[in-house]
Each structure stands twice: as structure tokens, then as C-alpha cells.
Amino acid sequence: MVLANFEKVTQFIGKMVMEEHVPGVVIGVTTAEKTLYKQAFGYAHYTEKIKMADETIFDLASLTKVIAVLPSILQLLDEGELELDDPIAYYLPQFKKNHQDITLKHLLTHSSGFQPEIKFYLNNISDHDTIDTIAQIQEKKRPGEEVIYSDLNFILLGKIIEKIVGMSLAAYTKKFIFDPLGMKNTYFNPPSNQKHRTAATELIESLNDYRWGEVHDENTLHFGGVSGHAGLFSTLEDLAIFSRMILNGGVMNQKRIISPQSIALSTNTYTKQLNLNRGLGWELYDSPSFSGQFLQDGFGHTGFTGTSIWFSKKNNFSTILLTNRVHFGRERNISRMRRIIHNLVAIEMSDAY
């Protein structure tokens, strides 16, 4: 479906694919009521010449943080199972000795002070031992002192969710988020029979093949495909459903998933004094990475594989941009492409709606 008023968006993405900035793109623009524009370009697997489609399944990478972990935390907040100012040591006693001042809010806003990552897979540290390993490291900064984007924060949040609910993150999100929303193609560890619907990611030299149908992130792969920081797969249509739930204040198909209070809370600015606007999980407002010049009124997130979602608060719509940019190598930067696409969407939405 291509509406005339999105012609500039279509032309620009077509040009980016033709010039091989990315092998393929699936884009959608949705309001609280419906998807206004969706289009697929290029290839889900370039060498196999498998074309992108509306139904292509993408490795969301770090979008896992805001599509799986954040809504789980907000649901548990709504149920009175947690409080954002709780110290994480309340749930994970291993942190009482060295990290007693770190709270759930610090993890959610990436202001815990933890380093960006630990390569658990290189050191053969099992998923079971991640909590003890993180508890033993020294913070780079004091909690609340600086924003350091860190996968460790959301690995820990995933573990805390599992401890509270008594089931895996994959099982909880399926039962309480994805199934109620009707997100039928959103899951960790895609079924093997869906491989050819999945956008292939990076060429792995040791395999002499592309990572295809399994998670790209090395730590998550080492953990068995499920983690709080990466591992979720989804499609444009499922993310449009999720977006409409957010835009409707936590309701979709007359089902309350998250309270409107928690939706609003997640997009408040908690780190403005640190000169970087972050909400709970979300990047906010003047995000230099991908909001563009005309959509600096909202919130969103990116994924390393080439995925992103951005919400405009002012105009109440979201732009879902899914690519497999690492298929051409992880050095391929698409930040400029994202910003231009968001600018064109903003202009065309203002003209038409």
C-alpha cells in the first residue's frame, strides 16, 4: 500500500536500497487507529535474492528493551509488584555489597554507572552466572551521575522480571503482552520453519554463512536466544499493533495492557540534568541519533541490526523502520538515512493530516 502523500518517502528509500546503503527496508507509519503507510523494499537475504515483504520477520536487537522488558516492568508496576525506586539488591541480593544504591530507575534510564557490556560469550560465562558476574564489577560512574548506555542494565531487568513472575522472560511476554495484543509473529527464538521469512543479518566468517533465523547478538545467542537486552523477533504488522497500544494509552482492541499513567511515566525526562534526555527505556525528544529535525517531540529506540521505532507525541503517530543493515557489514551506518526518512514522514504527515 502506497499512499500518494508518502511518495517522497518511497522514492528516498528506493534510492537508498538501489545504492546499496541497505539490502532491504520495511517501513510503516501508524496512528492510534490504523496504519497509513507500509512498504517493503529490496531483499531480506541479498545473496539468495529473497525479497522483503510486509510479513518479513526481523531480529529487533535492542528494540527488545522497549518492546519486551519495558512493558513487562510497567505491567508489574501497575500490579504493585515493584516500585521504580526499589534498589535492585531488593530482588538480587548479590548487589547488596557493592551496588546497594542502584535502583530499577537507574537501570531503566541507563544511569546505573555500569559499563556498556561484558562479552559473556568470549569468557564462556553462562546465563545462570550473569548476575554474579555483573555484581562483582566496579561501576564506571556513581549511580545517577552519568548516562552510559549499557546492555547490562536490561540483562538485569530481564532477570528481575523472571524472579518476580516465576517464569522466563519469553513465557511472560508471550502470555501477558504479545498474545493479548494479537502479536502472532513476535517471539524469542523463531521457529525453524520460519527461517525463510526472516531477514538475514551478518555474514559470520567462522560459519561461512549468514546469521539467519537465529539471534545476531553474540551474548544472547550464547544465552540460548533469550535476554533482556536483545533476542526478540517481530514483524511490521506486530510492531504496528504494539505502537497503537502505546498511542492509545495502553489499550488495544478494548484490552488494557498497561495503565495510561505508566505509559506517560515512561516518556518523562529523568536524565535532563545529565545533558541527555532519557525516559524509562526510551530515548527522548532531541535524540541526535535518529529523530531528525522535525520529530524532536517524541520518543523511540534503535536496534543494532538496523531496526527502529519513533513516536511523535505532538501528532500521535509512530514510524517503524526495519532494515537488515548488518547484512552488508556492521560498519554500515544508517543514522543519516533514518533522520531523512523521519523528516520526510513528518513533512508528509503534516501536509496530509
Side-chain angles (χ1 to χ4, degrees):
M1 177 177 67
V2 182
L3 304 183
N5 55 304
F6 287 96
E7 184 178 353
K8 290 180 181 179
V9 178
T10 300
Q11 289 176 349
F12 176 74
I13 297 176
K15 181 173 180 285
M16 292 294 99
V17 171
M18 185 180 65
E19 294 178 355
E20 298 188 350
H21 291 275
V22 287
V25 173
V26 178
I27 185 173
V29 178
T30 186
T31 66
E33 293 78 33
K34 61 183 178 180
T35 298
L36 300 177
Y37 169 68
K38 61 180 179 179
Q39 185 79 346
F41 306 79
Y43 294 98
H45 196 305
Y46 193 78
T47 56
E48 298 281 344
K49 298 304 178 188
I50 297 175
K51 290 186 176 181
M52 283 292 190
D54 295 346
E55 300 81 18
T56 298
I57 300 167
F58 286 83
D59 178 344
L60 299 184
S62 282
L63 283 187
T64 302
K65 296 177 172 74
V66 290
I67 307 298
V69 171
L70 177 60
S72 300
I73 289 289
L74 297 181
Q75 283 188 340
L76 295 173
L77 176 65
D78 289 340
E79 295 298 321
E81 295 289 344
L82 57 80
E83 213 285 319
L84 297 184
D85 289 318
D86 286 341
I88 63 172
Y90 179 80
Y91 306 95
L92 306 174
Q94 299 94 320
F95 287 81
K96 286 182 179 178
K97 181 178 179 181
N98 298 321
H99 306 291
Q100 64 270 22
D101 295 330
I102 297 177
T103 67
L104 295 178
K105 191 181 291 181
H106 287 133
L107 298 182
L108 287 159
T109 58
H110 293 285
S111 59
S112 66
F114 284 131
Q115 65 202 52
E117 65 175 348
I118 294 173
K119 295 185 185 299
F120 297 101
Y121 65 100
L122 288 181
N123 299 304
N124 200 28
I125 299 170
S126 71
D127 184 35
H128 179 75
D129 294 327
T130 54
I131 296 173
D132 289 337
T133 302
I134 299 171
Q136 292 169 13
I137 65 173
Q138 182 65 44
E139 302 148 16
K140 293 177 70 70
K141 297 288 182 178
R142 294 292 304 151
E145 184 179 330
E146 184 176 319
V147 169
I148 302 173
Y149 182 85
S150 173
D151 285 345
L152 305 184
N153 295 318
F154 276 76
I155 290 173
L156 291 176
L157 286 167
K159 296 298 184 186
I160 289 169
I161 291 165
E162 291 179 338
K163 187 162 187 178
I164 293 172
V165 303
M167 64 179 77
S168 71
L169 180 66
Y172 179 85
T173 51
K174 175 177 168 51
K175 183 175 181 179
F176 293 100
I177 300 170
F178 307 138
D179 281 355
L181 284 171
M183 296 170 66
K184 298 178 181 179
N185 294 292
T186 301
Y187 29 58
F188 295 87
N189 289 318
S192 58
N193 63 2
Q194 299 298 307
K195 178 177 178 178
H196 283 79
R197 287 185 56 204
T198 305
T201 54
E202 188 177 16
L203 179 65
I204 307 299
E205 290 186 8
S206 62
L207 300 176
N208 195 30
D209 199 358
Y210 287 90
R211 188 74 70 197
W212 190 18
E214 62 180 2
V215 64
H216 174 263
D217 179 83
E218 293 95 342
N219 275 334
T220 308
L221 184 66
H222 176 66
F223 296 155
V226 182
S227 184
H229 74 290
L232 197 67
F233 286 72
S234 192
T235 62
L236 173 68
E237 182 53 40
D238 276 10
L239 292 177
I241 292 170
F242 183 87
S243 294
R244 289 196 287 274
M245 181 272 291
I246 298 291
L247 293 168
N248 279 301
V251 173
M252 186 64 184
N253 295 329
Q254 299 181 329
K255 293 180 181 179
R256 168 67 63 193
I257 305 298
I258 303 169
S259 72
Q261 291 89 344
S262 287
I263 295 290
L265 184 73
S266 69
T267 60
N268 286 344
T269 303
Y270 294 93
T271 58
K272 199 166 187 176
Q273 71 277 14
L274 305 179
N275 297 317
L276 188 60
N277 291 340
R278 292 208 73 98
L280 302 177
W282 300 110
E283 290 186 49
L284 303 182
Y285 312 123
D286 55 348
S287 167
S289 60
F290 69 106
S291 64
Q293 283 69 53
F294 306 134
L295 285 181
Q296 295 184 4
D297 64 315
F299 56 96
H301 210 285
T302 61
F304 185 78
T305 49
T307 60
S308 66
I309 187 168
W310 186 263
F311 292 85
S312 170
K313 275 189 172 182
K314 180 179 178 182
N315 297 300
N316 206 38
F317 72 88
S318 74
T319 304
I320 302 159
L321 184 63
L322 305 174
T323 85
N324 52 341
R325 64 107 189 171
V326 294
H327 198 60
F328 284 162
R330 57 177 71 190
E331 74 281 353
R332 192 64 58 96
N333 191 311
I334 62 169
S335 293
R336 177 179 181 271
M337 186 183 88
R338 278 195 185 111
R339 292 194 299 270
I340 291 174
I341 290 170
H342 285 148
N343 282 344
L344 293 175
V345 168
I347 291 167
E348 298 192 16
M349 284 292 286
S350 63
D351 285 347
Y353 298 94

